[in-house]
mmCIF file of all heavy atoms in Angstrom:
data_model
loop_
_atom_site.group_PDB
_atom_site.id
_atom_site.type_symbol
_atom_site.label_atom_id
_atom_site.label_comp_id
_atom_site.label_asym_id
_atom_site.label_seq_id
_atom_site.Cartn_x
_atom_site.Cartn_y
_atom_site.Cartn_z
ATOM 1 N N GLY A 238 79.977 62.075 95.719
ATOM 2 C CA GLY A 238 80.814 62.889 94.844
ATOM 3 C C GLY A 238 80.038 63.356 93.612
ATOM 4 O O GLY A 238 79.105 62.689 93.147
ATOM 5 N N TYR A 239 80.422 64.501 93.093
ATOM 6 C CA TYR A 239 79.775 65.074 91.914
ATOM 7 C C TYR A 239 80.833 65.485 90.898
ATOM 8 O O TYR A 239 82.009 65.649 91.221
ATOM 9 C CB TYR A 239 78.927 66.296 92.302
ATOM 10 C CG TYR A 239 77.732 65.953 93.164
ATOM 11 C CD1 TYR A 239 77.849 65.907 94.551
ATOM 12 C CD2 TYR A 239 76.501 65.657 92.600
ATOM 13 C CE1 TYR A 239 76.775 65.577 95.356
ATOM 14 C CE2 TYR A 239 75.410 65.329 93.393
ATOM 15 C CZ TYR A 239 75.545 65.297 94.758
ATOM 16 O OH TYR A 239 74.474 64.959 95.549
ATOM 17 N N TRP A 240 80.375 65.675 89.690
ATOM 18 C CA TRP A 240 81.235 66.194 88.633
ATOM 19 C C TRP A 240 81.039 67.701 88.556
ATOM 20 O O TRP A 240 79.906 68.186 88.519
ATOM 21 C CB TRP A 240 80.885 65.543 87.286
ATOM 22 C CG TRP A 240 81.082 64.057 87.295
ATOM 23 C CD1 TRP A 240 80.126 63.098 87.406
ATOM 24 C CD2 TRP A 240 82.333 63.358 87.203
ATOM 25 N NE1 TRP A 240 80.679 61.844 87.386
ATOM 26 C CE2 TRP A 240 82.047 61.967 87.262
ATOM 27 C CE3 TRP A 240 83.658 63.764 87.075
ATOM 28 C CZ2 TRP A 240 83.021 61.003 87.196
ATOM 29 C CZ3 TRP A 240 84.642 62.791 87.023
ATOM 30 C CH2 TRP A 240 84.328 61.429 87.069
ATOM 31 N N TYR A 241 82.135 68.439 88.529
ATOM 32 C CA TYR A 241 82.086 69.900 88.504
ATOM 33 C C TYR A 241 82.573 70.387 87.141
ATOM 34 O O TYR A 241 83.689 70.081 86.725
ATOM 35 C CB TYR A 241 82.938 70.480 89.630
ATOM 36 C CG TYR A 241 82.443 70.050 90.999
ATOM 37 C CD1 TYR A 241 82.996 68.941 91.638
ATOM 38 C CD2 TYR A 241 81.417 70.736 91.622
ATOM 39 C CE1 TYR A 241 82.536 68.536 92.879
ATOM 40 C CE2 TYR A 241 80.952 70.339 92.871
ATOM 41 C CZ TYR A 241 81.507 69.235 93.490
ATOM 42 O OH TYR A 241 81.044 68.833 94.714
ATOM 43 N N ALA A 242 81.716 71.130 86.480
ATOM 44 C CA ALA A 242 82.039 71.611 85.137
ATOM 45 C C ALA A 242 82.368 73.101 85.180
ATOM 46 O O ALA A 242 81.623 73.890 85.774
ATOM 47 C CB ALA A 242 80.861 71.373 84.191
ATOM 48 N N PRO A 243 83.456 73.515 84.577
ATOM 49 C CA PRO A 243 83.718 74.957 84.468
ATOM 50 C C PRO A 243 82.693 75.608 83.552
ATOM 51 O O PRO A 243 82.117 74.962 82.671
ATOM 52 C CB PRO A 243 85.122 75.008 83.853
ATOM 53 C CG PRO A 243 85.250 73.716 83.095
ATOM 54 C CD PRO A 243 84.477 72.696 83.879
ATOM 55 N N LYS A 244 82.452 76.887 83.766
ATOM 56 C CA LYS A 244 81.484 77.578 82.913
ATOM 57 C C LYS A 244 82.052 77.882 81.518
ATOM 58 O O LYS A 244 81.287 78.145 80.597
ATOM 59 C CB LYS A 244 81.018 78.873 83.579
ATOM 60 C CG LYS A 244 79.981 78.643 84.682
ATOM 61 C CD LYS A 244 79.325 79.945 85.085
ATOM 62 C CE LYS A 244 78.071 79.701 85.892
ATOM 63 N NZ LYS A 244 77.362 80.956 86.221
ATOM 64 N N TYR A 245 83.364 77.838 81.391
ATOM 65 C CA TYR A 245 83.995 78.081 80.087
ATOM 66 C C TYR A 245 84.919 76.922 79.743
ATOM 67 O O TYR A 245 85.669 76.425 80.591
ATOM 68 C CB TYR A 245 84.798 79.388 80.098
ATOM 69 C CG TYR A 245 83.941 80.627 80.085
ATOM 70 C CD1 TYR A 245 83.544 81.227 81.267
ATOM 71 C CD2 TYR A 245 83.513 81.183 78.881
ATOM 72 C CE1 TYR A 245 82.749 82.360 81.263
ATOM 73 C CE2 TYR A 245 82.718 82.310 78.858
ATOM 74 C CZ TYR A 245 82.332 82.895 80.044
ATOM 75 O OH TYR A 245 81.530 84.011 80.026
ATOM 76 N N VAL A 246 84.853 76.500 78.492
ATOM 77 C CA VAL A 246 85.731 75.466 77.950
ATOM 78 C C VAL A 246 86.210 75.953 76.585
ATOM 79 O O VAL A 246 85.400 76.378 75.745
ATOM 80 C CB VAL A 246 85.003 74.112 77.808
ATOM 81 C CG1 VAL A 246 85.902 73.082 77.138
ATOM 82 C CG2 VAL A 246 84.531 73.605 79.167
ATOM 83 N N LEU A 247 87.512 75.911 76.367
ATOM 84 C CA LEU A 247 88.086 76.366 75.091
ATOM 85 C C LEU A 247 87.673 77.799 74.766
ATOM 86 O O LEU A 247 87.468 78.160 73.608
ATOM 87 C CB LEU A 247 87.662 75.426 73.950
ATOM 88 C CG LEU A 247 88.037 73.946 74.132
ATOM 89 C CD1 LEU A 247 87.470 73.126 72.978
ATOM 90 C CD2 LEU A 247 89.551 73.778 74.229
ATOM 91 N N GLY A 248 87.523 78.615 75.807
ATOM 92 C CA GLY A 248 87.188 80.018 75.610
ATOM 93 C C GLY A 248 85.731 80.284 75.310
ATOM 94 O O GLY A 248 85.351 81.430 75.028
ATOM 95 N N ARG A 249 84.898 79.269 75.391
ATOM 96 C CA ARG A 249 83.466 79.428 75.092
ATOM 97 C C ARG A 249 82.648 78.901 76.260
ATOM 98 O O ARG A 249 83.110 78.031 77.008
ATOM 99 C CB ARG A 249 83.094 78.654 73.823
ATOM 100 C CG ARG A 249 83.751 79.158 72.550
ATOM 101 C CD ARG A 249 83.432 78.216 71.401
ATOM 102 N NE ARG A 249 81.999 78.064 71.195
ATOM 103 C CZ ARG A 249 81.440 77.060 70.531
ATOM 104 N NH1 ARG A 249 82.203 76.095 70.024
ATOM 105 N NH2 ARG A 249 80.137 76.999 70.378
ATOM 106 N N PRO A 250 81.401 79.394 76.432
ATOM 107 C CA PRO A 250 80.541 78.807 77.462
ATOM 108 C C PRO A 250 80.432 77.302 77.277
ATOM 109 O O PRO A 250 80.281 76.808 76.154
ATOM 110 C CB PRO A 250 79.198 79.510 77.229
ATOM 111 C CG PRO A 250 79.575 80.847 76.668
ATOM 112 C CD PRO A 250 80.762 80.563 75.775
ATOM 113 N N ALA A 251 80.526 76.574 78.376
ATOM 114 C CA ALA A 251 80.609 75.114 78.309
ATOM 115 C C ALA A 251 79.395 74.488 77.636
ATOM 116 O O ALA A 251 79.529 73.490 76.917
ATOM 117 C CB ALA A 251 80.779 74.551 79.715
ATOM 118 N N ASP A 252 78.198 75.075 77.839
ATOM 119 C CA ASP A 252 77.024 74.450 77.228
ATOM 120 C C ASP A 252 77.032 74.606 75.716
ATOM 121 O O ASP A 252 76.471 73.776 74.995
ATOM 122 C CB ASP A 252 75.725 74.985 77.837
ATOM 123 C CG ASP A 252 75.552 76.488 77.685
ATOM 124 O OD1 ASP A 252 76.487 77.174 77.225
ATOM 125 O OD2 ASP A 252 74.467 76.987 78.067
ATOM 126 N N GLN A 253 77.699 75.641 75.202
ATOM 127 C CA GLN A 253 77.790 75.797 73.754
ATOM 128 C C GLN A 253 78.726 74.748 73.154
ATOM 129 O O GLN A 253 78.459 74.218 72.072
ATOM 130 C CB GLN A 253 78.262 77.211 73.416
ATOM 131 C CG GLN A 253 77.286 78.294 73.855
ATOM 132 C CD GLN A 253 77.745 79.692 73.504
ATOM 133 O OE1 GLN A 253 78.524 79.895 72.566
ATOM 134 N NE2 GLN A 253 77.278 80.677 74.257
ATOM 135 N N VAL A 254 79.804 74.438 73.875
ATOM 136 C CA VAL A 254 80.710 73.390 73.404
ATOM 137 C C VAL A 254 79.997 72.043 73.431
ATOM 138 O O VAL A 254 80.065 71.264 72.477
ATOM 139 C CB VAL A 254 81.980 73.353 74.270
ATOM 140 C CG1 VAL A 254 82.870 72.186 73.858
ATOM 141 C CG2 VAL A 254 82.746 74.674 74.162
ATOM 142 N N ASN A 255 79.286 71.779 74.529
ATOM 143 C CA ASN A 255 78.572 70.511 74.642
ATOM 144 C C ASN A 255 77.502 70.391 73.567
ATOM 145 O O ASN A 255 77.287 69.312 72.993
ATOM 146 C CB ASN A 255 77.933 70.393 76.025
ATOM 147 C CG ASN A 255 77.324 69.030 76.261
ATOM 148 O OD1 ASN A 255 77.950 68.002 76.054
ATOM 149 N ND2 ASN A 255 76.067 69.014 76.691
ATOM 150 N N ASP A 256 76.826 71.497 73.259
ATOM 151 C CA ASP A 256 75.779 71.443 72.238
ATOM 152 C C ASP A 256 76.354 71.145 70.857
ATOM 153 O O ASP A 256 75.707 70.482 70.039
ATOM 154 C CB ASP A 256 75.005 72.761 72.198
ATOM 155 C CG ASP A 256 73.753 72.673 71.359
ATOM 156 O OD1 ASP A 256 72.789 72.019 71.804
ATOM 157 O OD2 ASP A 256 73.738 73.234 70.244
ATOM 158 N N SER A 257 77.557 71.619 70.599
ATOM 159 C CA SER A 257 78.200 71.305 69.317
ATOM 160 C C SER A 257 78.413 69.799 69.179
ATOM 161 O O SER A 257 78.220 69.224 68.104
ATOM 162 C CB SER A 257 79.536 72.043 69.206
ATOM 163 O OG SER A 257 79.361 73.440 69.259
ATOM 164 N N LEU A 258 78.775 69.156 70.289
ATOM 165 C CA LEU A 258 78.947 67.705 70.261
ATOM 166 C C LEU A 258 77.610 67.004 70.074
ATOM 167 O O LEU A 258 77.508 66.018 69.341
ATOM 168 C CB LEU A 258 79.616 67.242 71.556
ATOM 169 C CG LEU A 258 81.022 67.784 71.829
ATOM 170 C CD1 LEU A 258 81.512 67.326 73.199
ATOM 171 C CD2 LEU A 258 81.995 67.338 70.742
ATOM 172 N N LEU A 259 76.572 67.518 70.733
ATOM 173 C CA LEU A 259 75.244 66.913 70.582
ATOM 174 C C LEU A 259 74.737 67.066 69.152
ATOM 175 O O LEU A 259 74.108 66.151 68.610
ATOM 176 C CB LEU A 259 74.269 67.563 71.564
ATOM 177 C CG LEU A 259 74.496 67.264 73.048
ATOM 178 C CD1 LEU A 259 73.581 68.130 73.907
ATOM 179 C CD2 LEU A 259 74.252 65.792 73.343
ATOM 180 N N ALA A 260 74.998 68.221 68.551
ATOM 181 C CA ALA A 260 74.548 68.442 67.171
ATOM 182 C C ALA A 260 75.215 67.470 66.211
ATOM 183 O O ALA A 260 74.623 67.084 65.186
ATOM 184 C CB ALA A 260 74.836 69.887 66.766
ATOM 185 N N LEU A 261 76.435 67.068 66.539
ATOM 186 C CA LEU A 261 77.146 66.097 65.701
ATOM 187 C C LEU A 261 76.777 64.654 66.040
ATOM 188 O O LEU A 261 77.330 63.717 65.458
ATOM 189 C CB LEU A 261 78.659 66.290 65.874
ATOM 190 C CG LEU A 261 79.229 67.622 65.386
ATOM 191 C CD1 LEU A 261 80.690 67.763 65.808
ATOM 192 C CD2 LEU A 261 79.102 67.736 63.866
ATOM 193 N N ARG A 262 75.837 64.491 66.984
ATOM 194 C CA ARG A 262 75.389 63.164 67.434
ATOM 195 C C ARG A 262 76.568 62.335 67.974
ATOM 196 O O ARG A 262 76.661 61.128 67.726
ATOM 197 C CB ARG A 262 74.677 62.411 66.314
ATOM 198 C CG ARG A 262 73.448 63.115 65.742
ATOM 199 C CD ARG A 262 72.322 63.142 66.766
ATOM 200 N NE ARG A 262 71.103 63.738 66.219
ATOM 201 C CZ ARG A 262 70.103 63.037 65.679
ATOM 202 N NH1 ARG A 262 70.184 61.720 65.629
ATOM 203 N NH2 ARG A 262 69.031 63.654 65.211
ATOM 204 N N VAL A 263 77.478 63.011 68.676
ATOM 205 C CA VAL A 263 78.596 62.289 69.290
ATOM 206 C C VAL A 263 78.034 61.360 70.367
ATOM 207 O O VAL A 263 77.271 61.804 71.228
ATOM 208 C CB VAL A 263 79.612 63.274 69.900
ATOM 209 C CG1 VAL A 263 80.717 62.525 70.647
ATOM 210 C CG2 VAL A 263 80.200 64.156 68.799
ATOM 211 N N PRO A 264 78.360 60.083 70.353
ATOM 212 C CA PRO A 264 77.804 59.147 71.333
ATOM 213 C C PRO A 264 78.142 59.541 72.764
ATOM 214 O O PRO A 264 79.163 60.183 73.040
ATOM 215 C CB PRO A 264 78.463 57.816 70.955
ATOM 216 C CG PRO A 264 78.877 57.967 69.537
ATOM 217 C CD PRO A 264 79.228 59.409 69.363
ATOM 218 N N LEU A 265 77.263 59.131 73.681
ATOM 219 C CA LEU A 265 77.431 59.466 75.083
ATOM 220 C C LEU A 265 78.785 59.024 75.611
ATOM 221 O O LEU A 265 79.460 59.767 76.327
ATOM 222 C CB LEU A 265 76.312 58.818 75.913
ATOM 223 C CG LEU A 265 76.430 58.962 77.431
ATOM 224 C CD1 LEU A 265 76.398 60.427 77.848
ATOM 225 C CD2 LEU A 265 75.320 58.171 78.129
ATOM 226 N N ARG A 266 79.221 57.806 75.293
ATOM 227 C CA ARG A 266 80.498 57.303 75.801
ATOM 228 C C ARG A 266 81.660 58.184 75.358
ATOM 229 O O ARG A 266 82.616 58.412 76.102
ATOM 230 C CB ARG A 266 80.725 55.862 75.332
ATOM 231 C CG ARG A 266 79.761 54.850 75.909
ATOM 232 C CD ARG A 266 79.972 54.668 77.405
ATOM 233 N NE ARG A 266 79.163 53.586 77.955
ATOM 234 C CZ ARG A 266 79.043 53.318 79.238
ATOM 235 N NH1 ARG A 266 79.697 54.060 80.120
ATOM 236 N NH2 ARG A 266 78.279 52.318 79.651
ATOM 237 N N VAL A 267 81.585 58.693 74.133
ATOM 238 C CA VAL A 267 82.649 59.563 73.625
ATOM 239 C C VAL A 267 82.615 60.902 74.363
ATOM 240 O O VAL A 267 83.665 61.447 74.751
ATOM 241 C CB VAL A 267 82.516 59.760 72.111
ATOM 242 C CG1 VAL A 267 83.575 60.749 71.602
ATOM 243 C CG2 VAL A 267 82.639 58.421 71.381
ATOM 244 N N ARG A 268 81.419 61.436 74.582
ATOM 245 C CA ARG A 268 81.318 62.705 75.316
ATOM 246 C C ARG A 268 81.815 62.541 76.746
ATOM 247 O O ARG A 268 82.437 63.455 77.297
ATOM 248 C CB ARG A 268 79.874 63.210 75.296
ATOM 249 C CG ARG A 268 79.427 63.720 73.930
ATOM 250 C CD ARG A 268 78.097 64.433 73.967
ATOM 251 N NE ARG A 268 76.988 63.550 74.256
ATOM 252 C CZ ARG A 268 76.210 63.634 75.325
ATOM 253 N NH1 ARG A 268 76.436 64.559 76.235
ATOM 254 N NH2 ARG A 268 75.216 62.791 75.488
ATOM 255 N N GLN A 269 81.534 61.389 77.357
ATOM 256 C CA GLN A 269 82.042 61.138 78.702
ATOM 257 C C GLN A 269 83.565 61.098 78.715
ATOM 258 O O GLN A 269 84.211 61.665 79.611
ATOM 259 C CB GLN A 269 81.463 59.822 79.245
ATOM 260 C CG GLN A 269 79.980 59.908 79.595
ATOM 261 C CD GLN A 269 79.395 58.555 79.960
ATOM 262 O OE1 GLN A 269 79.798 57.527 79.417
ATOM 263 N NE2 GLN A 269 78.424 58.551 80.860
ATOM 264 N N TRP A 270 84.153 60.457 77.704
ATOM 265 C CA TRP A 270 85.614 60.402 77.621
ATOM 266 C C TRP A 270 86.202 61.798 77.435
ATOM 267 O O TRP A 270 87.190 62.156 78.085
ATOM 268 C CB TRP A 270 86.024 59.492 76.457
ATOM 269 C CG TRP A 270 87.520 59.406 76.311
ATOM 270 C CD1 TRP A 270 88.366 58.558 76.954
ATOM 271 C CD2 TRP A 270 88.347 60.234 75.469
ATOM 272 N NE1 TRP A 270 89.668 58.791 76.575
ATOM 273 C CE2 TRP A 270 89.690 59.818 75.668
ATOM 274 C CE3 TRP A 270 88.089 61.268 74.570
ATOM 275 C CZ2 TRP A 270 90.752 60.405 74.990
ATOM 276 C CZ3 TRP A 270 89.152 61.865 73.912
ATOM 277 C CH2 TRP A 270 90.460 61.424 74.123
ATOM 278 N N LEU A 271 85.576 62.606 76.574
ATOM 279 C CA LEU A 271 86.060 63.963 76.349
ATOM 280 C C LEU A 271 85.973 64.802 77.620
ATOM 281 O O LEU A 271 86.867 65.606 77.918
ATOM 282 C CB LEU A 271 85.249 64.635 75.228
ATOM 283 C CG LEU A 271 85.524 64.121 73.815
ATOM 284 C CD1 LEU A 271 84.498 64.701 72.837
ATOM 285 C CD2 LEU A 271 86.939 64.506 73.375
ATOM 286 N N TYR A 272 84.905 64.615 78.395
ATOM 287 C CA TYR A 272 84.769 65.357 79.657
ATOM 288 C C TYR A 272 85.897 64.976 80.613
ATOM 289 O O TYR A 272 86.535 65.850 81.216
ATOM 290 C CB TYR A 272 83.404 65.062 80.282
ATOM 291 C CG TYR A 272 83.153 65.831 81.561
ATOM 292 C CD1 TYR A 272 82.446 67.025 81.539
ATOM 293 C CD2 TYR A 272 83.622 65.370 82.796
ATOM 294 C CE1 TYR A 272 82.219 67.745 82.710
ATOM 295 C CE2 TYR A 272 83.404 66.077 83.957
ATOM 296 C CZ TYR A 272 82.700 67.265 83.918
ATOM 297 O OH TYR A 272 82.486 67.968 85.068
ATOM 298 N N HIS A 273 86.136 63.676 80.759
ATOM 299 C CA HIS A 273 87.204 63.236 81.667
ATOM 300 C C HIS A 273 88.569 63.756 81.200
ATOM 301 O O HIS A 273 89.407 64.152 82.028
ATOM 302 C CB HIS A 273 87.224 61.707 81.745
ATOM 303 C CG HIS A 273 86.087 61.139 82.542
ATOM 304 N ND1 HIS A 273 85.983 61.289 83.897
ATOM 305 C CD2 HIS A 273 85.010 60.411 82.166
ATOM 306 C CE1 HIS A 273 84.895 60.685 84.337
ATOM 307 N NE2 HIS A 273 84.281 60.144 83.310
ATOM 308 N N TRP A 274 88.779 63.746 79.911
ATOM 309 C CA TRP A 274 90.049 64.242 79.367
ATOM 310 C C TRP A 274 90.213 65.732 79.675
ATOM 311 O O TRP A 274 91.274 66.184 80.104
ATOM 312 C CB TRP A 274 90.065 63.993 77.857
ATOM 313 C CG TRP A 274 91.282 64.511 77.159
ATOM 314 C CD1 TRP A 274 92.531 63.979 77.153
ATOM 315 C CD2 TRP A 274 91.346 65.697 76.337
ATOM 316 N NE1 TRP A 274 93.377 64.737 76.382
ATOM 317 C CE2 TRP A 274 92.674 65.799 75.860
ATOM 318 C CE3 TRP A 274 90.430 66.665 75.938
ATOM 319 C CZ2 TRP A 274 93.081 66.837 75.029
ATOM 320 C CZ3 TRP A 274 90.834 67.695 75.112
ATOM 321 C CH2 TRP A 274 92.153 67.771 74.671
ATOM 322 N N THR A 275 89.127 66.515 79.491
ATOM 323 C CA THR A 275 89.164 67.947 79.797
ATOM 324 C C THR A 275 89.407 68.178 81.284
ATOM 325 O O THR A 275 90.186 69.059 81.677
ATOM 326 C CB THR A 275 87.843 68.615 79.375
ATOM 327 O OG1 THR A 275 87.610 68.388 77.984
ATOM 328 C CG2 THR A 275 87.884 70.117 79.640
ATOM 329 N N LEU A 276 88.762 67.373 82.125
ATOM 330 C CA LEU A 276 88.934 67.510 83.564
ATOM 331 C C LEU A 276 90.382 67.230 83.968
ATOM 332 O O LEU A 276 90.955 67.948 84.802
ATOM 333 C CB LEU A 276 87.982 66.556 84.286
ATOM 334 C CG LEU A 276 87.754 66.803 85.769
ATOM 335 C CD1 LEU A 276 87.042 68.134 85.982
ATOM 336 C CD2 LEU A 276 86.943 65.667 86.383
#
Side-chain angles (χ1 to χ4, degrees):
Y239 293 88
W240 299 102
Y241 299 95
K244 282 193 165 184
Y245 287 91
V246 175
L247 303 176
R249 295 173 57 199
D252 59 353
Q253 296 181 25
V254 175
N255 187 50
D256 191 72
S257 299
L258 298 176
L259 291 172
L261 295 171
R262 301 291 183 95
V263 175
L265 174 61
R266 293 292 187 188
V267 176
R268 289 190 292 117
Q269 288 173 326
W270 179 86
L271 288 171
Y272 182 96
H273 286 291
W274 177 76
T275 303
L276 195 66

